[in-house]
Amino acid sequence: MLLTDPKLLGALAELQVERKPAVRMASWTSLGIGGTTDMLTVCERRHLGAVFHLLRAHGIRHRLLGGGTNLLVGDGELPWVALRLGRVEPTVRIEGNCVWVDAAEDLGRAITTCAKANLGGLEGLAGLPGTVGGALRMNAGAYDTEIGKLVREVVVYRAVHGRIDTLPTDQFRFQYRRACVSTCDILLGARLELVERPCREILDRIYVCNFNRRASQPLSEKSAGCVFKNPAGASAGRLIDAMGLKGFRVGGAMVSDIHANFFVNRGRATCAEMQQLIEEVRERVWSAFHIELEEEIVLWVN
Ligand code: EPU
């Protein structure tokens, strides 16, 4: 365990940081893979700087955890603590056709709240698991919707300055499945500009997206969504499928037989097995098509 020093524990308690010792990260990730570490939940955003300072002073690394839905976490005892943002009410605040959403809010719940206020635009993302913070960090996209295109301002904790800033999007770039955030910045929320349309119409669109998703993706299995980004002008899933790799497995890690860019945990897969599967598939696609696949999922293996 990394958090043992009584002084450090006392200081974290004073900052109202909730601590869960020896958490199995497998229970906090949609892939169901990951070793053990201590978990800290920070509710008061203004305490973030003090928490970072304390951890650094004790030589302890941290990783910021959202919903854990796009992550491959290492096996065994992990060399960092997992830090989470606690929910702070109100997590969704509507202003005209704009909405302020907190990073800790569940993405699906945020979309439903907006729909009830007759605000659409996020329909394609309904059904994606995870938090708003994770969706912003990864510039989540599906069915012609990309969250970054709707963002007008981001709220960021800037560790270097020790303060919370609101930045317009021209200072903050979103790319395909990635937001350009400095490693010292933490996304705390965003203002999105949505489209006014009747709630019924929004719910109908959500229904159609969910129907298509259920028909083409292994939603009932443990996965982290698409493993690889789509290479320019091609589809990673189609390339892997064309190699006949659906059902190909390394131990408990398997290429889904529904969508070839989803790798599923068929029971007790380890991170090492999943990594081996990723490398094997990447090499085979490279030898056949001379296309280098790049991971979309985020690896926290050391
Ligand atoms: N295809 C196959 N075999 C497969 C999978 C797909 O031939 O095993 C073909 C499909 O028939 C289709 C094409 O490949 O012609 C594209 O497939 P799909 O429509 O499923 O979209 P995708 O490009 O594989 C992207 C996103 C998904 C998102 C869907 C729907 C990436 C890496 N993936 O998938 O996002 O849900 O479009 O909009 O951009 C994610 O990011 O984790 C994710 C799941």
Side-chain angles (χ1 to χ4, degrees), residues 236-296:
R238 191 183 293 157
L239 294 173
I240 301 167
D241 194 1
M243 300 293 302
L245 289 173
K246 276 184 172 164
F248 177 62
R249 59 197 291 170
V250 175
M254 188 184 101
V255 176
S256 160
D257 39 28
I258 297 174
H259 192 300
N261 198 14
F262 280 65
F263 295 3
V264 296
N265 173 4
R266 276 287 170 98
R268 295 179 170 208
T270 60
C271 175
E273 289 168 349
M274 192 54 83
Q275 276 187 292
Q276 207 183 317
L277 183 65
I278 291 172
E279 288 320 317
E280 188 71 36
V281 169
R282 198 194 329 257
E283 274 173 32
R284 290 192 190 202
V285 168
W286 172 253
S287 351
F289 304 106
H290 278 265
I291 294 177
E292 172 97 35
L293 292 179
E294 188 194 335
E295 281 105 350
E296 185 205 303

Side-chain angles (χ1 to χ4, degrees), residues 69-70 124-125 128-129 138-146 176-177 209 212-213 216-217 219 223-231 234-242 246 255-262 294 296-297:
T69 54
N70 203 43
L125 306 182
L128 287 189
M138 295 308 299
N139 189 13
Y143 302 112
D144 299 325
T145 308
E146 212 175 59
Y176 171 52
R177 291 301 187 274
C209 292
N212 291 336
R213 191 176 271 118
S216 60
Q217 300 180 358
L219 301 187
S223 85
C226 284
V227 170
F228 296 109
K229 294 179 183 172
N230 282 337
S235 152
R238 191 183 293 157
L239 294 173
I240 301 167
D241 194 1
K246 276 184 172 164
V255 176
S256 160
D257 39 28
I258 297 174
H259 192 300
N261 198 14
F262 280 65
E294 188 194 335
E296 185 205 303
I297 57 167

Side-chain angles (χ1 to χ4, degrees), residues 93-99 110-123 192-199 202:
R93 192 160 43 85
I94 289 167
E95 282 176 4
N97 66 339
C98 288
V99 60
I111 295 173
T112 310
T113 309
C114 294
K116 284 182 187 157
N118 299 312
L119 289 177
L122 290 164
E123 291 87 333
L192 312 182
E193 187 180 334
L194 301 181
V195 187
E196 286 179 37
R197 66 171 70 107
C199 178
I202 300 171

